[in-house]
Amino acid sequence: MNIIKMNDLDITGKTILIRSDLNVPIKNGVIQSDARLLAALPTIELAVKKNAKIILMSHLGRPTEGYYEKKYSLFPIFEYFKKKLHYTKVYFCSNYLHNIKLKKQEIAILENVRFNKGELNNDDILSKKYSDLCDIFVMDAFGSSHRMQSSTYGVAKFSNIACAGPLLIKEINCLTKLLEKPKRPMVAIVGGSKVSTKFNLLKKISKLADTVIVGGGIANTFLAIDYNIGKSLYEKDFILEAKKIRDKYNIIIPIDSRVGKNFSETAISIIKSPYDIQQNEEIMDFGDKTIQKVIDILKESKTILWNGPVGVFEFPNFRKGTEAIAKTIAKSNAFSIAGGGDTLSVIDMFNIKNDISYISTGGGSFLEFIEGKKLPSIHILEERFKTRKMN
């Protein structure tokens, strides 16, 4: 993969615009998980060390484009970095599309790029305004690299120099290693609510991994092939496709489940075999037999890919399966890669981030990269590499 790397450039005194992934959960102004912020920090610190003038930009949530909404403001993130980077000056900029003046080692954090009209449809005029802010554009947001938007793609197209940041390079190298030379046996855990959004991933991973463990609504769709699963979340239109995958590959489907009669935190958890589930019951977690089976498989693995919880982990009565998987992976000597927003939340919940070999900051980009898709932001960086070589 031929792309210009930030580490290979002399950025001393240059204004660099870093597209980071600072899209973290915020509740009542309080950051709930700083995993992505911590991942972005080394690139920022490196730029400070190299005496650059630093501009950071990111999206946050899904505001109505072109309108300010306080709950989607990056101000809490500015306050977070102001504390972390206390040794230099950090500014917050709301109106920034025309000019930003900084001294060496100073940092400007821009307000949510999705407050700007044209961001989502990769508007050329907006992209050029971004590019005019800097000497060098640094794409470091792997979690947004699957989006063809002004702050991820367009700005790279128009900037004088467009390069990849250390975090983006690290993500690419780590996931490439997983796809090309995994140590075996390799086990993949694919959870989440919808099989439709992860169907291509399942097909790709089923070919690559020795064993695939399915959980959540995805597992329910596989269970629905043979059983009446009551009012459990599943996708009827994907049952036939799920059957094709199950019959061809080594897919581990729950042999028992924790069910409840209503989707709530107070719902009573009952363990049942698939053939015993009643019409008024809903599958919300693995049962104990399934948990033990999964633990035994994980203990024998050399490579683990983990994407998504296997139950409604937000509810204490239905998090046992997800907790068991998280803690087993944490104790494992296998090379483990975890990715996806909910997966990051689980890692934070059980405080195991130091026990996972590599935690990807990507959600959709993580899935698309593993599926073998060319991510737009990486594609434009490759194109800019070619044009730079030609010039």
Side-chain angles (χ1 to χ4, degrees):
M1 191 175 291
N2 291 321
I3 53 182
I4 304 166
K5 300 177 179 67
M6 175 183 146
N7 282 344
D8 295 337
L9 298 174
D10 179 8
I11 61 173
T12 304
K14 302 284 177 63
T15 300
I16 66 170
L17 175 59
I18 304 175
R19 178 43 161 108
S20 298
D21 183 7
L22 311 178
N23 182 32
V24 296
I26 298 175
K27 189 175 181 180
N28 299 322
V30 179
I31 294 168
Q32 304 297 300
S33 169
D34 66 350
R36 283 179 173 159
L37 306 185
L38 289 172
L41 197 56
T43 299
I44 303 165
E45 290 174 329
L46 178 63
V48 173
K49 187 178 179 181
K50 291 194 172 186
N51 291 309
K53 302 168 186 176
I54 305 140
I55 303 171
L56 294 181
M57 69 174 173
S58 176
H59 77 285
L60 178 67
R62 299 177 183 272
T64 302
E65 190 183 85
Y67 296 93
Y68 171 83
E69 293 180 65
K70 186 178 180 181
K71 68 178 179 178
Y72 295 118
S73 173
L74 262 74
F75 193 78
I77 291 164
F78 155 71
E79 291 183 312
Y80 175 93
F81 279 124
K82 195 174 180 180
K83 290 177 183 175
K84 288 283 183 184
L85 301 159
H86 56 85
Y87 50 85
T88 189
K89 287 189 176 179
V90 183
Y91 305 96
F92 184 70
C93 300
S94 297
N95 300 310
Y96 52 80
L97 290 177
H98 300 291
N99 192 22
I100 298 174
K101 291 184 178 180
L102 295 169
K103 294 178 182 177
K104 290 178 183 178
Q105 297 189 322
E106 291 184 341
I107 301 166
I109 297 178
L110 308 185
E111 181 58 283
N112 195 338
V113 293
R114 287 189 178 171
F115 290 167
N116 300 322
K117 267 195 170 172
E119 165 64 21
L120 298 179
N121 65 0
N122 192 33
D123 178 74
D124 278 356
I125 294 173
L126 179 61
S127 299
K128 286 175 183 176
K129 285 181 178 179
Y130 289 152
S131 68
D132 287 343
L133 296 175
C134 65
D135 301 308
I136 299 167
F137 170 67
V138 181
M139 180 59 184
D140 207 38
F142 178 74
S144 300
S145 58
H146 62 309
R147 302 190 186 282
M148 195 170 177
Q149 297 173 353
S150 284
S151 69
T152 60
Y153 185 93
V155 61
K157 179 181 172 184
F158 294 112
S159 293
N160 291 328
I161 298 173
C163 66
L167 178 60
L168 181 62
I169 295 295
K170 190 177 179 182
E171 293 266 13
I172 292 169
N173 290 343
C174 194
L175 292 176
T176 300
K177 175 186 171 184
L178 171 81
L179 296 176
E180 292 181 354
K181 292 181 179 179
K183 288 186 178 181
R184 299 195 180 274
M186 175 183 172
V187 178
I189 301 155
V190 183
S193 57
K194 293 186 176 181
V195 71
S196 56
T197 59
K198 296 186 178 180
F199 183 65
N200 289 332
L201 173 73
L202 276 171
K203 286 199 290 187
K204 175 81 175 183
I205 286 298
S206 296
K207 294 174 187 175
L208 179 68
D210 299 287
T211 305
V212 178
I213 298 161
V214 290
I218 294 171
N220 294 347
T221 302
F222 279 89
L223 285 169
I225 297 168
D226 298 313
Y227 304 102
N228 181 340
I229 54 171
K231 59 178 183 178
S232 304
L233 175 70
Y234 76 103
E235 289 180 277
K236 188 176 180 180
D237 293 344
F238 276 83
I239 290 177
L240 184 59
E241 295 293 348
K243 186 177 186 300
K244 289 178 184 176
I245 294 175
R246 182 202 66 179
D247 293 348
K248 190 172 182 180
Y249 301 106
N250 186 25
I251 309 295
I252 302 300
I253 300 163
I255 52 177
D256 63 344
S257 304
R258 280 181 164 76
V259 306
K261 292 186 177 178
N262 56 78
F263 189 83
S264 76
E265 195 166 350
T266 57
I268 296 170
S269 167
I270 305 167
I271 298 177
K272 286 199 168 184
S273 298
Y275 49 79
D276 280 337
I277 296 169
Q278 302 300 305
Q279 204 59 40
N280 64 340
E281 293 175 331
E282 183 173 359
I283 297 171
M284 291 196 278
D285 192 11
F286 282 170
D288 289 346
K289 290 179 182 177
T290 303
I291 289 171
Q292 190 55 56
K293 184 177 181 180
V294 168
I295 287 172
D296 291 342
I297 292 168
L298 291 174
K299 282 181 177 178
E300 297 299 317
S301 64
K302 293 288 189 292
T303 302
I304 301 171
L305 170 67
W306 177 24
N307 177 254
V310 298
V312 188
F313 70 97
E314 300 91 341
F315 299 165
N317 291 343
F318 299 97
R319 74 168 58 130
K320 191 171 180 182
T322 301
E323 181 176 7
I325 284 173
K327 290 182 176 179
T328 303
I329 294 173
K331 291 175 185 175
S332 173
N333 291 321
F335 177 73
S336 54
I337 295 184
D342 284 340
T343 314
L344 296 183
S345 296
V346 172
I347 288 168
D348 280 342
M349 178 179 280
F350 299 117
N351 194 27
I352 57 168
K353 62 185 175 185
N354 294 327
D355 301 311
I356 307 295
S357 305
Y358 189 74
I359 299 172
S360 174
T361 57
S365 55
F366 176 82
L367 299 181
E368 290 187 20
F369 191 96
I370 292 172
E371 287 167 21
K373 292 180 180 177
K374 176 67 75 174
L375 304 184
S377 294
I378 295 173
H379 172 72
I380 189 63
L381 291 178
E382 289 176 324
E383 291 300 306
R384 291 305 310 273
F385 179 87
K386 290 177 191 174
T387 55
R388 186 181 187 233
K389 291 284 282 188
M390 287 170 63
N391 292 336

